[in-house]
Amino acid sequence: MSVQPNLSEPKLLKIGEFARRAGTNLRTLRYYEEIGLLTPASRSKGGFRFYRESDANRLTMVQTLQGLGLHLDRICEVMSTRNGDTTKAGFFARIRSALEEQDRLLRDRITELQGQRERIDYAFGKLQECEKCDVIPDSGNNFCDPCPATGQELPQDLSALF
Amino acid sequence: MSVQPNLSEPKLLKIGEFARRAGTNLRTLRYYEEIGLLTPASRSKGGFRFYRESDANRLTMVQTLQGLGLHLDRICEVMSTRNGDTTKAGFFARIRSALEEQDRLLRDRITELQGQRERIDYAFGKLQECEKCDVIPDSGNNFCDPCPATGQELPQDLSALF
DNA sequence: TTGCTCCTCACGTCACGTGAGGTGGC
DNA sequence: TTGCTCCTCACGTCACGTGAGGTGGC
């Protein structure tokens, strides 16, 4: 006789085990509950929080969005796909727009970081030349900005460190 | 008669103009001075702070490193290229290592973000299929995780939003 | 019952935000 | 002198960190 898995009672985790799996800690989870960002699925009669395994995916999304520089109140908004009209069309439209928003943020951020890598590369190139030069950057020559050899501005990342 | 530009007295900016150019604000600059991250080049006798134009490049680097998740004390360390032995070789070695550190951080972060984009893409693909499906995710079906049509786990980013 | 996990305050911290009240400098 | 910019406290805030003291549940 095959037993139907009980889908209406998915596995629940206590806060410690859930935090470990989700890569976070107890204080953060309690704080997220306090601000309404992530509410446990239930509580024991003694007050113990119980989380769904799948809530770890919500946590991951929060971490991703935080890494992109969003504040928790904005993250609440972006992830509140269950608020609003309850039609299937409306619900799915909110999901789609949340995913699109994240993709935009990711693309923009990647472009930014690639630009920063190019600037680092440019600085490396100039640094090679500086190593062959006699002048040592100090306050007397405004830390070699502009470069006494070429008269040009230093790459930003060298100017920052000289 | 040509006049030698006075390199020992580069243009100095008051805090407001400097903040505007560097894309920051007065409070942040005062805080950075307090913790020793960015000290003004000089002060007027009345106490007004004066910054070098080139210090904006230092600020930019601080912002970049903050965006990569570093704390200010770590940023102090990474950017303290003027501390240590004062030989040219030592100084340049510290510059090089600071640039390498940043490049590592940038590459790792870009890889991470690209992975996140792929996950978003994967979620979009599944969402297309879900739109053709009759089942509506709710607490009775554990928000469609696992998918009642395929039996497979949902993409993380759908599970997070369903 | 023991031990480990969890609970709720509640104060501390980092990186600033935001006035209050006063002074500098073209 | 007027107006704008700057000054130094100093308290507030966001997102937690870190105990203190007490209870739950296998």
Side-chain angles (χ1 to χ4, degrees):
Chain A
M1 308 260 285
S2 76
V3 177
Q4 192 76 357
N6 192 340
L7 290 178
S8 62
E9 285 181 33
K11 193 174 173 197
L12 294 177
L13 303 169
K14 282 191 289 184
I15 192 169
E17 174 66 4
F18 179 72
R20 202 188 51 71
R21 292 199 198 187
T24 184
N25 61 59
L26 310 202
R27 180 63 175 101
T28 299
L29 289 171
R30 288 173 190 142
Y31 181 64
Y32 288 177
E33 181 179 7
E34 199 181 317
I35 62 170
L37 179 53
L38 184 62
T39 309
S42 64
R43 292 255 197 166
S44 75
K45 58 182 160 51
F48 280 38
R49 292 168 179 82
F50 287 110
Y51 292 87
R52 293 185 196 87
E53 284 186 284
S54 58
D55 282 337
N57 294 316
R58 255 188 108 67
L59 238 301
T60 303
M61 186 168 283
V62 172
Q63 290 163 344
T64 299
L65 290 170
Q66 266 192 312
L68 291 168
L70 301 211
H71 290 268
L72 292 185
D73 53 355
R74 182 79 191 103
I75 294 176
C76 276
E77 284 175 25
V78 172
M79 293 184 64
S80 69
T81 44
R82 301 204 71 79
N83 299 44
D85 68 308
T86 55
T87 64
K88 191 188 168 191
F91 177 59
F92 274 65
R94 288 194 295 279
I95 307 256
R96 185 168 288 283
S97 110
L99 292 178
E100 277 162 1
E101 165 92 2
Q102 286 185 60
D103 199 44
R104 249 196 317 280
L105 290 168
L106 287 168
R107 272 186 288 118
D108 290 354
R109 188 82 178 103
I110 288 170
T111 303
E112 211 180 325
L113 295 182
Q114 280 166 343
Q116 288 167 1
R117 276 205 76 193
E118 280 170 31
R119 289 211 307 275
I120 296 274
D121 255 29
Y122 178 52
F124 265 123
K126 178 67 182 174
L127 187 63
Q128 299 266 34
E129 291 173 33
C130 296
E131 276 169 345
K132 294 176 225 141
C133 174
D134 293 333
V135 185
I136 294 178
D138 70 4
S139 59
N141 56 26
N142 196 38
F143 302 101
C144 280
D145 196 7
C147 170
T150 66
Q152 294 192 306
E153 272 193 0
L154 276 186
Q156 290 177 52
D157 295 314
L158 283 193
S159 174
L161 296 170
F162 269 6
Chain B
M1 309 257 284
S2 74
V3 178
Q4 190 79 354
N6 192 340
L7 290 176
S8 62
E9 284 181 31
K11 193 175 173 195
L12 294 176
L13 303 168
K14 282 190 290 183
I15 192 168
E17 173 67 5
F18 179 71
R20 202 188 51 71
R21 293 199 196 185
T24 185
N25 61 58
L26 309 203
R27 181 64 176 99
T28 299
L29 289 172
R30 288 174 189 141
Y31 182 64
Y32 288 178
E33 180 180 7
E34 198 181 319
I35 63 170
L37 179 55
L38 184 62
T39 307
S42 64
R43 292 255 197 166
S44 74
K45 59 184 161 51
F48 280 37
R49 291 167 179 82
F50 287 110
Y51 293 88
R52 292 185 197 89
E53 283 188 283
S54 59
D55 282 337
N57 295 315
R58 255 186 108 69
L59 237 301
T60 302
M61 185 168 283
V62 172
Q63 290 163 345
T64 299
L65 291 170
Q66 266 192 313
L68 291 168
L70 300 212
H71 290 268
L72 292 185
D73 53 356
R74 182 79 191 101
I75 294 176
C76 277
E77 284 175 25
V78 172
M79 293 184 64
S80 68
T81 45
R82 302 205 70 81
N83 300 44
D85 68 306
T86 54
T87 64
K88 191 188 168 190
F91 177 58
F92 273 68
R94 287 193 296 278
I95 307 254
R96 184 168 288 281
S97 112
L99 292 178
E100 276 163 1
E101 166 92 3
Q102 287 185 60
D103 199 46
R104 250 197 317 279
L105 290 168
L106 287 168
R107 274 187 286 118
D108 291 354
R109 188 83 178 102
I110 288 170
T111 303
E112 211 179 325
L113 295 182
Q114 280 166 344
Q116 289 167 0
R117 276 204 75 191
E118 280 169 30
R119 290 210 309 273
I120 296 274
D121 254 31
Y122 178 51
F124 265 123
K126 179 67 181 173
L127 187 64
Q128 298 267 33
E129 291 172 32
C130 297
E131 275 168 347
K132 294 176 224 140
C133 174
D134 294 333
V135 186
I136 293 177
D138 70 4
S139 60
N141 56 26
N142 196 36
F143 303 101
C144 281
D145 195 6
C147 171
T150 66
Q152 294 192 306
E153 272 193 359
L154 277 187
Q156 290 177 51
D157 295 314
L158 285 192
S159 174
L161 296 171
F162 269 6

